[in-house]
Amino acid sequence: MKNPDQRPDDHDELVQQDDAAVGRGFRYSLIALVALATVGAGVYLVLKPKPVAPKTQVTKLAAPVTADRPVAQVPTAKFTDITAASGITFRHENGAYGDKLLPETMGGGVAFLDYDGDGAPDLLFVNSTQWPGKLAPGSKPATVALYHNDGHGKFTDVTVGSGLDVPLYGMGVATGDYDNDGRPDVLITTVGGARLFHNEGGGKFTDVTAAAGVGGDPKDWSTAAVFFDLDNDGDLDLYVASYVRWSPEIDAQVGYKIDGTHRAYGPPMNFQGAFPHLYRNDGNGKFTEISATSGVQVKNSSTGVPIAKTLGVAVMDVDGDGWLDLAVANDTVQNLMFRNRHDGTFEEIGALSGFAFDSYGNTRGAMGIDACRFTKDGKIGFAIGNFANEMTALCVAQPGPGGSAHPLFADESLSWGIGGPSRDPLKFGIFFFDYDLDGRADLLSVNGHLEEEISKIQHGQKYQQPAQLFWNAGDAGFAIAGADQAGTDLFKPIVGRGSAYADIDGDGDLDVVFTQIAGPPMLLRNDQSLGNHFVRLKLVGTKANRDALGASVKLTVKGQSQWREVMTSKSYLSASELPVTFGIGKSDKVDVVEIIWPGGTKQTLSNVPVDKLTVVEQPR
């Protein structure tokens, strides 16, 4: 109820007065708060701690330290170039006419083989030839060359009429007595498949490619090849690798240019890989191809195309189970290792075993390869010659995890003293051999670039390059031998490709041969005179294949053992002599020789003669 004495507008006036008082109070409070905040901010700005610069932490980096090894004194053991004096006049023909086709810079294998059974290693040089339509009028096409050795290091050209004098664009060579008739046969890899020549005796060879069934595809660019007994049945089977899918048209499309303008020979990154061929020997002069079912044709899991771009293959029983395995060196893609499953198939364990990549997980440009038990405790090592500015790989067997049947490998090139010196050159032919007969396997690398004009583009690189010789000093690792120790002839710069070794003059030490692109080879006689003794053994299989390829020989002198495997295919597209050589230093007596023949039978020999070749026949 309203107060009757109150005027109607009194309430509104009181409300207005109260609102004005509240408004004034709010404004005064707001001013006070602003003032207080201003004072507080000023105090904060005055009293806040000054920023402290973060302390810089410097982490010092140190280069990898190689374990100290004793200093080694490289012995003097010189090599002499006797190419002309020996009667060799061969010159490699690559057919180059200016278009810079990749095969022109890749070929040039060589083989030592005793084709006539007289005990002296003869020489076979693989040749390419002129491209179709490029042969000069009135000239003859180039062919391989076969030279007969008189046993004293003098050679006579016996190519004409041998059956090997046929034009082909050759790459490499493999040797082996595939029919166990006592005469080494020859497989030549080419741009255009492979060609098998049967040794008929009397210096005559017959092309049996079609009858044997080992030619592959005419579009193949076959490279490395090896005869070996994959199933321990006593005859030699055959593995033929391929490089890349190639044709002149594909090469033109790739169009590699070294300076962005001019055509050049280049790496194979832009060429598709290619499958190898694996042939099982049926024992009647014929082979059955088992490539697809055997597991050696590996595809890229992403693209489905062949992985391999193979230039080298080595055979070794890597897991000690008595069955031969395959190590495959690939150019710019991962290396492969095929472990023999004992049933005609193989398991690819390259990545699993540590063999596929370098220590950083990268691929390299692998060319030649060889395998040897080169340490004093018999560890397996694979030496792989890689591209320029990549170290030679030395993949050494490691202790495996308990119960594992898979071998493990680690690249120990740096710790063994090979890595640094081998980085710059472009390596091709490579093999282990005991050149000074001191009982330790040394390493020889033959080098040369792909491209003639490389020195204009890359400082420090040259087309012609000297070889490198690494002397095995045992616990001291490998030491580089120079001209003062090995002579100037060995290190003459060449465009090196294939390489092989043999005792050409019967004096017990190992002589070597190099090939080069579009030039003459180099035959180098080992003239070491250190007074070291040797043992040379030629094994003849009866139950095993007659060449005893795949046999393992252990020789012990004064309680110290060394090992050799009987295998001719090694290095780059090449084959060395069949006998095995052991240097035994100043010792003149052997404790014992133990042989594990292909198939697993064992034989022990005592009183083995020193300083001569001994023929050992497998007990029947």
Side-chain angles (χ1 to χ4, degrees):
M1 172 180 282
K2 288 184 180 181
N3 186 345
D5 296 329
Q6 185 176 352
R7 295 191 301 266
D9 58 350
D10 286 347
H11 174 73
D12 296 334
E13 188 174 321
L14 288 174
V15 170
Q16 292 173 359
Q17 291 174 355
D18 290 341
D19 288 344
V22 171
R24 287 192 299 270
F26 177 76
R27 285 195 297 272
Y28 294 152
S29 298
L30 182 61
I31 293 171
L33 287 172
V34 171
L36 183 61
T38 303
V39 173
V43 172
Y44 172 76
L45 291 174
V46 172
L47 298 180
K48 82 170 184 174
K50 297 293 188 290
V52 178
K55 185 178 180 180
T56 302
Q57 182 175 349
V58 178
T59 302
K60 294 183 178 181
L61 300 178
V65 178
T66 300
D68 291 335
R69 293 182 182 271
V71 177
Q73 183 64 44
V74 180
T76 299
K78 295 190 175 182
F79 290 83
T80 303
D81 184 350
I82 61 167
T83 311
S86 70
I88 293 174
T89 59
F90 172 78
R91 183 181 180 87
H92 181 259
E93 170 63 63
N94 67 346
Y97 60 91
D99 274 11
K100 295 289 183 93
L101 302 177
L102 187 56
E104 295 168 357
T105 194
M106 299 302 296
V110 60
F112 279 115
L113 74 164
D114 183 7
Y115 75 85
D116 57 354
D118 64 356
D122 309 299
L123 267 170
L124 187 151
F125 293 99
V126 178
N127 208 355
S128 300
T129 195
Q130 294 80 6
W131 292 107
K134 300 299 180 180
L135 181 64
S139 61
K140 295 182 179 180
T143 72
V144 303
L146 181 65
Y147 283 85
H148 178 261
N149 183 0
D150 69 355
H152 303 285
K154 299 290 185 180
F155 290 83
T156 302
D157 190 338
V158 295
T159 310
V160 176
S162 67
L164 296 171
D165 50 343
V166 293
L168 43 76
Y169 204 94
M171 285 282 125
V173 57
T175 61
D177 181 5
Y178 73 86
D179 58 352
N180 289 329
D181 65 356
R183 296 184 296 267
D185 308 300
V186 172
L187 181 110
I188 298 177
T189 59
T190 79
V191 176
R195 302 281 287 275
L196 179 62
F197 294 88
H198 180 259
N199 189 339
E200 306 291 347
K204 306 294 183 181
F205 290 80
T206 301
D207 188 338
V208 295
T209 308
V214 296
D217 191 314
K219 295 181 180 180
D220 287 344
W221 176 355
S222 57
T223 50
V226 59
F227 286 101
F228 75 116
D229 188 356
L230 72 88
D231 47 12
N232 285 337
D233 66 349
D235 55 27
L236 293 175
D237 310 293
L238 179 62
Y239 179 91
V240 181
S242 297
Y243 189 32
V244 294
R245 182 170 171 260
W246 182 90
S247 70
E249 294 74 23
I250 294 174
D251 205 325
Q253 290 174 5
V254 170
Y256 181 79
K257 296 178 175 61
I258 194 170
D259 57 0
T261 302
H262 300 93
R263 277 275 294 171
Y265 303 116
M269 277 89 77
N270 293 324
F271 293 89
Q272 181 178 300
F275 282 141
H277 297 280
L278 183 62
Y279 302 98
R280 186 187 63 231
N281 191 336
D282 295 333
N284 55 1
K286 298 182 182 298
F287 291 78
T288 297
E289 182 166 5
I290 59 172
S291 309
T293 59
S294 67
V296 300
Q297 294 190 336
V298 182
K299 295 181 180 180
N300 184 303
S301 58
S302 300
T303 63
V305 302
I307 282 182
K309 300 180 180 182
T310 303
L311 291 173
V313 58
V315 175
M316 175 71 80
D317 178 7
V318 297
D319 51 6
D321 64 356
W323 297 74
L324 294 175
D325 311 296
L326 294 166
V328 176
N330 288 320
D331 190 2
T332 71
V333 296
Q334 67 194 68
N335 296 325
L336 303 172
M337 182 170 287
F338 294 107
R339 180 173 175 268
N340 196 325
R341 284 176 165 152
H342 313 171
D343 59 359
T345 68
F346 292 81
E347 176 189 10
E348 203 289 297
I349 59 168
L352 183 64
S353 66
F355 182 77
F357 306 99
D358 71 6
S359 300
Y360 301 97
N362 299 316
T363 61
R364 290 178 283 197
M367 308 295 176
I369 185 173
D370 192 19
C372 182
R373 298 179 184 273
F374 73 98
T375 68
K376 66 181 181 181
D377 56 353
K379 289 180 181 177
I380 296 172
F382 288 95
I384 305 174
N386 291 314
F387 203 77
N389 303 314
E390 298 174 344
M391 294 182 295
T392 290
L394 184 62
C395 299
V396 182
Q398 307 293 308
S404 174
H406 290 154
L408 297 175
F409 290 88
D411 189 347
E412 298 183 3
S413 182
L414 278 171
S415 61
W416 277 93
I418 292 173
S422 69
R423 185 187 299 274
D424 288 345
L426 202 169
K427 287 74 64 180
F428 275 91
I430 192 167
F431 56 69
F432 290 98
F433 75 138
D434 183 2
Y435 75 92
D436 62 339
L437 301 177
D438 66 352
R440 296 185 293 268
D442 313 299
L443 188 66
L444 178 62
S445 172
V446 181
N447 311 320
H449 214 282
L450 297 180
E451 173 54 47
E452 300 101 316
E453 304 297 324
I454 189 63
S455 60
K456 296 180 180 179
I457 305 301
Q458 293 186 22
H459 177 71
Q461 284 293 336
K462 293 184 178 181
Y463 186 45
Q464 296 176 319
Q465 300 181 356
Q468 290 184 304
L469 178 63
F470 295 91
W471 178 66
N472 187 341
D475 290 338
F478 286 89
I480 189 81
D484 291 342
Q485 294 84 29
T488 58
D489 289 355
L490 185 70
F491 304 109
K492 176 185 176 181
I494 63 172
V495 191
R497 293 296 185 263
S499 63
Y501 62 79
D503 178 11
I504 65 172
D505 48 11
D507 63 355
D509 54 30
L510 296 174
D511 313 291
V512 300
V513 65
F514 304 157
T515 67
Q516 64 173 329
I517 288 292
M522 286 179 63
L523 180 63
L524 296 140
R525 185 182 63 216
N526 187 338
D527 287 333
Q528 64 84 27
S529 56
L530 298 169
N532 290 333
H533 298 285
F534 63 89
V535 171
R536 281 174 54 80
L537 302 172
K538 180 183 178 182
L539 275 55
V540 179
T542 54
K543 300 174 184 178
N545 68 88
R546 186 178 177 88
D547 284 345
L549 293 179
S552 179
V553 186
K554 177 182 177 182
L555 178 144
T556 304
V557 175
K558 294 183 178 179
Q560 180 62 57
S561 297
Q562 52 181 303
W563 293 258
R564 297 287 182 271
E565 271 66 35
V566 181
M567 189 56 61
T568 55
S569 291
K570 55 187 63 193
S571 182
Y572 176 74
L573 309 181
S574 298
S576 290
E577 68 172 358
L578 190 59
V580 293
T581 298
F582 293 89
I584 58 173
K586 303 305 179 186
S587 301
D588 59 2
K589 184 180 179 181
V590 174
D591 297 349
V592 65
V593 171
E594 300 165 84
I595 301 171
I596 301 178
W597 294 88
T601 62
K602 298 180 181 180
Q603 183 178 3
T604 301
L605 306 174
S606 56
N607 301 317
V608 175
V610 171
D611 294 337
K612 64 177 295 186
L613 175 71
T614 299
V615 178
V616 181
E617 185 173 293
Q618 181 182 17
R620 295 181 182 274

